[in-house]
Amino acid sequence: MKSRLRIFFSALLLTTALPFIPYVFPFIPGQIFGLNLTGWAWMIMLFVTILNLTRTRKIDFPVWFWFPWLMYLIVYLIIDFSFLGLQLTLQYSLPLLIGVVASGFAYSENDLQWMFKWFIRLCLAVMAMFVYGYLFRSGYTPASAAVPMIFSVAFSIFVALYFISREKRYLLYAGILFLAPVIDVTRMGIVALAAIFIFHFANRSLKGKILFGGLGILVFIMVFNSKSFQEKTFYRGEGSLSDLTINYYENPKIRSSGRISWKKALEPGLKAEPVWGNGPRADNAYLTKISRRRGGEAHNDYLSVRFNYGYVGLAVLLFGFASSFISLFKLSKKHRESHYIWLISTSTLTLYISFMMFMFTDNILKYTIYFPNYFFAMIGIVYSLKRNEDLGSDTSLQ
């Protein structure tokens, strides 16, 4: 019989795979009872997580760093309740609860290798769908915005494995994953994966940082200057690196894919309630009203959180990220000789960078099944390993 640990992480993997099923089997509907499969997926994972939470006895996840954010969400929901607000609160809370549950398990080396194998198999399946769509479905690839998020997790682990073991095959695997956002010209995906390679915390030597940092920058410049990237990014089909400022999508030369329009649409609400915001999921209601169609996303989590929860909400969210990052960084420094802790902690620390970047151009906080669930699960695993330092020094996850 499978252990509770493996059942839990099987659910984590299966809920990520669920929305891809209609792509493989077109006769299966993308909606069931009016709800997208992505919605069913995160709700199933929420149910599984709550069941496991009731049986969790040991909690090592740094929940206190995230307590202000959770309490802010809950109190605001009580004050300004709506069904969409409840949905958003649960979506934002789910990854944190997964981290709590993950920290309560005791992991053997076999467990970690099993998890890694199945996660990589999931990524391979997604890559196979990507290649099939690109070659045989006129470039129609599955979940183009979400795929780089999933791959960034595996990419970070592969790069860490290379820096730990110096086995070149891990760089090859990382390079294959990098091809997906490059071929699909998913701009933030390209930048985020390049940043993981350049700034990875598992790269300990100054010489290595300079060498691989320079290599990563060179690869990014090559991709940036490619015809497909230039045509998708700039209205005139060409531009320079100087155009990519922090507010690059406000540059009239750049194709923002509608993001600047959503930002301008939200500006009145941002100015009207800058401190406390307009209420949970007020952005959805407002964008629905002005666009006269159901739903609408800011495609920028910083804007979305500010509109809904104000600067106070954004501040407590960023406090959670910053404080947990510092705590994990200190932990990784103290456990360099524990190879699994070093592998997972440095991979997760690097993913903070990609997380912050994806938040700038997408709704990654709501894409729980594609990235945040894994991110916070990895944090929970690290703190559990710290509690139970009984693993050997083998760094090979074969």
Side-chain angles (χ1 to χ4, degrees), residues 63 66-75 89 92-93 96-97:
V63 68
W66 294 97
F67 187 73
W69 171 239
L70 285 173
M71 288 305 300
Y72 191 84
L73 292 175
I74 294 169
V75 171
T89 302
Y92 282 173
S93 302
L96 298 172
L97 299 179

Side-chain angles (χ1 to χ4, degrees), residues 336-347:
R336 281 185 173 181
E337 303 310 315
S338 181
H339 288 84
Y340 277 99
I341 292 180
W342 178 251
L343 167 66
I344 303 172
S345 63
T346 55
S347 297

Side-chain angles (χ1 to χ4, degrees), residues 310-330:
Y311 279 111
V312 174
L314 182 61
V316 293
L317 171 63
L318 295 179
F319 170 79
F321 278 114
S323 54
S324 61
F325 176 88
I326 293 169
S327 175
L328 189 61
F329 180 77
K330 291 179 178 178

